[in-house]
Amino acid sequence: MRIRPVRFEDFPVLQDIERAASRCFRDIDMPEIADDEPFTVNELARYQRAGQAWGAADGIGRLVAYLVADLVDGNMHIEQVSVRPDSARRGVGRMLIEHVAGHAAAAAVPALTLTTFVHVPWNAPYYARCGFRRLTEAELTPGLREVRSREAAHGLDRWPRVAMRREMRR
């Protein structure tokens, strides 16, 4: 697997990856998540222009996963990680997270953050195995509160969600 910056021509592939990865939510009675539309081309372009969109390409150069991130209160906030189902459970998502962690460390960013579903096995439990810890309500920064507010407005709070943080090693 090779991690590389996302290019403009990758956007339709990223949307397909996100759609395919989301289908598994149907199996756990979360069809609204399975049917949610992926990031738009304009949204993906914003991450790409900021240098905060990476893809994982297989041995023949086909993108099989991607991650986009944003700066939230001085931390690198992982907005989305999606892995094509036929490439899942092979460490591709973790490779992307570690790549972003290296990028954040090189930029002296203190932590990685994300928000995710509490009870979905490939969400909060997975991120805990990747070194993230759950944040209490009191630990939420203003920016994370805003992220959570946008998620609630989008209907994601129908299922329990949590913000998580991974400190960067110095």
Side-chain angles (χ1 to χ4, degrees):
M1 235 13 95
R2 183 174 74 85
I3 308 296
R4 66 165 176 80
V6 165
R7 299 184 290 252
F8 178 80
E9 60 269 19
D10 296 328
F11 296 167
V13 174
L14 302 185
Q15 291 173 317
D16 289 344
I17 290 169
E18 189 172 341
R19 281 185 194 101
S22 294
R23 286 187 197 117
C24 58
F25 283 95
R26 192 171 306 290
D27 298 337
I28 59 169
D29 200 28
M30 295 172 76
E32 296 88 346
I33 302 304
D35 296 337
D36 199 26
E37 283 299 309
F39 283 118
T40 66
V41 167
N42 287 338
E43 290 168 323
L44 291 169
R46 183 178 63 81
Y47 292 111
Q48 187 256 350
R49 282 191 309 271
Q52 296 169 325
W54 298 270
D58 64 13
I60 60 171
R62 176 182 75 127
L63 286 178
V64 299
Y66 81 97
L67 183 153
V68 293
D70 211 347
L71 286 175
V72 174
D73 295 326
N75 297 306
M76 185 67 70
H77 184 75
I78 297 172
E79 290 286 344
Q80 181 72 33
V81 181
S82 290
V83 179
R84 190 179 297 281
D86 61 1
S87 295
R89 294 174 179 68
R90 297 183 187 162
V92 179
R94 188 180 295 254
M95 284 176 55
L96 282 164
I97 292 167
E98 293 308 320
H99 181 82
V100 171
H103 180 80
V109 171
L112 300 178
T113 61
L114 56 84
T115 57
T116 193
F117 294 110
V118 172
H119 300 298
V120 175
W122 59 89
N123 279 197
Y126 169 77
Y127 293 118
R129 292 191 304 274
C130 291
F132 288 83
R133 69 175 179 82
R134 292 181 184 201
L135 296 176
T136 65
E137 191 68 26
E139 292 176 295
L140 294 181
T141 63
L144 285 175
R145 288 182 193 284
E146 176 59 30
V147 168
R148 293 287 292 118
S149 177
R150 282 194 312 267
E151 291 173 347
H154 192 68
L156 295 180
D157 276 6
R158 178 174 170 199
W159 304 274
R161 289 186 62 80
V162 66
M164 301 181 81
R165 179 182 175 104
R166 174 176 150 180
E167 301 298 328
M168 299 306 304
R169 295 186 189 123
R170 304 228 175 217

